[in-house]
C-alpha cells in the first residue's frame, strides 16, 4: 500500500484533517473538528481521531497549514511586542511620518549602527538597551531588533539579541535574518510582525507535537509557507511571519489539485477572513513585492492574495458613528453555541 500524507489545517473556527496518497491527489479520508483556542492540541487530536485508525498507521509525512498568523495580524491580536531600532534617525522618521508604517507602537531608538559599507557608525548603546528592556519586564512577550544597515553588517542586531534574551528571556527576531532588502522601514515592520507571532507559533507547534505524540504518529512534520512551499517546524518557530497566508496558499494548491485549471480565481471564505488569489497558467501568482496582510506590507514572498477581515464568524455591530460594521473581530458562531449549549440560545 502507498504511504499517506496527513494534512492538518488549523483555522479560526475549524481544524481540518485529511489523508492523501503521497504521489497522487487521491483523498483517502477527511474529517474536521472545532478549533479549540484554549488548547489547539485538543482540536487537532479530535480532527485526526475522526480519520480511520488503520489508515493513520500509514502516515509518512505531516503537513500543517494555518491561518493563525494571518488572523492574529488582521485582528490585531499578536503578542505584546517591542521594536528596537538601532541607528535610525527618529526625527527623520517623524518628519516623513514613516512611523505610521510600523505595526506596533512600543518602539525603542538605540544609538549604534553601521553605514552602507558595513562600517560601524557608533558603538551600540548597551546600557540604554538594558534599561529599556528591564523597564518592560512582565509587559512585553517578544522583541524585534532592526538595524538601519544590518543587512550590510548584523553585528549590532546580534549583540542586541543577546542582551535582550539575557535580560528578559523573551524570543527575539532580527531583521537581517528575515530579509536582505535595504528598505529599512519595511524590514523593521516585517521583523516586528514576526516577533509578535513567535509566541503564538510556539504554542501551535507545541500543540502539534503533543497531538502527534498522543496519536502515535512519528512521521516528520512540515509547515506550509505563504508561497505554498514547506518548511521545517524549527524554521517556522524562528520565522513565523513566513506562515502568513499559509492557509490561503494551501487552498490554492488544493484548488489546483482538484480542478487542474490554467487560469482561475480561488476564494477561501473562513471564519475570520476571506482570501482571494489568482492562478495563472496553472501556477499561483506570487507577490514579489511582499505580502500585505491586515493593511500592513511585509517583505514576505507569498501567494498574491487579498485578505479581508470578513468571514463566517465576523462580529456585526454598530460603530460609534452609527454605521453597521462587520469584522474584523470574530465571535463564536451562534450555530456552534446552539449545538453545544442548546439551553443558552
Amino acid at each position: 500500500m502507498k504511504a499517506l500524507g496527513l494534512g492538518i489545517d488549523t483555522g479560526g473556527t475549524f481544524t481540518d484533517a485529511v489523508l492523501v496518497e503521497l504521489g497522487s491527489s487521491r483523498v483517502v479520508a477527511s474529517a474536521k473538528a472545532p478549533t479549540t483556542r484554549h488548547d489547539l492540541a485538543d482540536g487537532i487530536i479530535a480532527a485526526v481521531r475522526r480519520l480511520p485508525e488503520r489508515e493513520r498507521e500509514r502516515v509518512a509525512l505531516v503537513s500543517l497549514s494555518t491561518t493563525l498568523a494571518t488572523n492574529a495580524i488582521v485582528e490585531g491580536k499578536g503578542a505584546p511586542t517591542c521594536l528596537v531600532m538601532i541607528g535610525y534617525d527618529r526625527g527623520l522618521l517623524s518628519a516623513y511620518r514613516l512611523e505610521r508604517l510600523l505595526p506596533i507602537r512600543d518602539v525603542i531608538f538605540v544609538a549604534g549602527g553601521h553605514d552602507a559599507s558595513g562600517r560601524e557608525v557608533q558603538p551600540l548603546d548597551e546600557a540604554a538597551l538594558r534599561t529599556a528592556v528591564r523597564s518592560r519586564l512582565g509587559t512585553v512577550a517578544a522583541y524585534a531588533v532592526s538595524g538601519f544597515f544590518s543587512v550590510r553588517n548584523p553585528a549590532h542586531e546580534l549583540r542586541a539579541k543577546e542582551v535582550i534574551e539575557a535580560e528578559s528571556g523573551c524570543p527575539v527576531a532580527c531583521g537581517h535574518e528575515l530579509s536582505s532588502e535595504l528598505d529599512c522601514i519595511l524590514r523593521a515592520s516585517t521583523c516586528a510582525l514576526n516577533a509578535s507571532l513567535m509566541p503564538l507559533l510556539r504554542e501551535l507547534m507545541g500543540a502539534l507535537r503533543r497531538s502527534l505524540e498522543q496519536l502515535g504518529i512519528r512521521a516528520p512534520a512540515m509547515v506550509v509557507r505563504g508561497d505554498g512551499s514547506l518548511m521545517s517546524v524549527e524554521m517556522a518557530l524562528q520565522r513565523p511571519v513566513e506562515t502568513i497566508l499559509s492557509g490561503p496558499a494551501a487552498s490554492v494548491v488544493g484548488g489546483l489539485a482538484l480542478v487542474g485549471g490554467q487560469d482561475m480565481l480561488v476564494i477561501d471564505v473562513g471564519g475570520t477572513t476571506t482570501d482571494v488569489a489568482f492562478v495563472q497558467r496553472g501556477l499561483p501568482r506570487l507577490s514579489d513585492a511582499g505580502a500585505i496582510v491586515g493593511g500592513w506590507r511585509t517583505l514576505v514572498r507569498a501567494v498574491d492574495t487579498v485578505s479581508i477581515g470578513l468571514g463566517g464568524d465576523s462580529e456585526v455591530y454598530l460603530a460609534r458613528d452609527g454605521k453597521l460594521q462587520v469584522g474584523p473581530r470574530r465571535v463564536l458562531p451562534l450555530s456552534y453555541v446552539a449545538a453545544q449549549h442548546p439551553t443558552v440560545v
Side-chain angles (χ1 to χ4, degrees):
M1 290 188 294
K2 290 185 178 180
L4 300 180
L6 169 60
I8 301 172
D9 180 79
T10 304
T13 307
F14 287 104
T15 295
D16 297 274
V18 60
L19 291 172
V20 181
E21 278 190 353
L22 293 177
S24 74
S25 58
R26 189 175 81 85
V27 176
V28 176
S30 62
K32 70 166 58 232
T35 294
T36 47
R37 291 294 184 99
H38 64 281
D39 188 345
L40 295 170
D42 291 349
I44 295 174
I45 292 172
V48 176
R49 275 187 172 161
R50 293 176 183 178
L51 299 172
E53 185 173 0
R54 67 180 184 279
E55 304 291 359
R56 299 203 310 256
E57 297 173 356
R58 297 161 53 196
V59 172
L61 177 68
V62 178
S63 173
L64 174 72
S65 62
T66 178
T67 57
L68 181 66
T70 302
N71 292 349
I73 294 174
V74 170
E75 295 183 274
K77 293 184 177 179
T81 301
C82 176
L83 171 61
V84 178
M85 304 184 78
I86 303 172
Y88 284 76
D89 187 330
R90 184 172 190 172
L92 188 65
L93 265 63
S94 297
Y96 287 93
R97 300 183 61 227
L98 295 177
E99 290 175 327
R100 63 189 171 84
L101 301 178
L102 300 175
I104 61 174
R105 294 292 168 261
D106 188 3
V107 181
I108 302 172
F109 290 87
V110 177
H114 299 78
D115 61 20
S117 299
R119 294 186 293 266
E120 185 179 79
V121 175
Q122 58 180 320
L124 176 67
D125 190 344
E126 293 189 21
L129 179 60
R130 291 181 191 278
T131 299
V133 172
R134 289 170 182 169
S135 70
R136 288 165 172 77
L137 291 177
T139 62
V140 171
Y143 284 84
V145 181
S146 179
F148 193 74
F149 273 116
S150 62
V151 293
R152 299 301 192 204
N153 189 335
H156 285 183
E157 276 193 0
L158 294 172
R159 177 53 187 160
K161 180 178 181 178
E162 292 177 353
V163 171
I164 295 170
E165 288 178 339
E167 293 290 341
S168 70
C170 295
V172 181
C174 290
H176 78 276
E177 297 172 342
L178 299 169
S179 175
S180 59
E181 295 289 333
L182 286 173
D183 192 324
C184 59
I185 298 299
L186 275 184
R187 186 161 20 89
S189 176
T190 302
C191 185
L193 290 174
N194 189 75
S196 72
L197 296 172
M198 291 175 84
L200 305 183
L201 262 291
R202 181 178 293 178
E203 178 185 348
L204 177 58
M205 294 302 106
L208 178 64
R209 285 178 172 138
R210 294 196 306 274
S211 302
L212 297 180
E213 288 176 3
Q214 188 166 332
L215 293 163
I217 298 175
R218 295 177 175 79
M222 306 290 284
V223 181
V224 179
R225 299 168 79 167
D227 62 1
S229 62
L230 297 176
M231 63 178 169
S232 67
V233 169
E234 289 70 24
M235 180 176 287
L237 288 170
Q238 296 302 314
R239 307 174 73 149
V241 72
E242 294 192 6
T243 69
I244 61 173
L245 304 180
S246 166
S251 296
V252 172
V253 174
L256 283 169
L258 293 173
V259 180
Q262 288 295 305
D263 298 292
M264 62 180 179
L265 186 67
V266 179
I267 302 175
D268 182 354
V269 181
T272 308
T273 62
T274 293
D275 308 294
V276 183
F278 288 100
V279 172
Q280 294 178 316
R281 294 184 292 278
L283 295 173
R285 192 168 71 186
L286 299 180
S287 176
D288 293 325
I292 300 176
V293 179
W296 302 109
R297 178 175 288 280
T298 72
L299 291 173
V300 176
R301 179 179 170 85
V303 171
D304 191 2
T305 302
V306 175
S307 294
I308 305 168
L310 175 64
D313 301 340
S314 292
E315 180 183 16
V316 180
Y317 61 99
L318 288 176
R320 290 182 178 179
D321 58 6
K323 294 181 179 179
L324 190 67
Q325 180 74 32
V326 182
R329 294 189 301 270
R330 65 179 292 277
V331 292
L332 197 63
L334 185 61
S335 58
Y336 178 75
V337 175
Q340 301 296 317
H341 307 281
T343 59
V344 175
V345 181

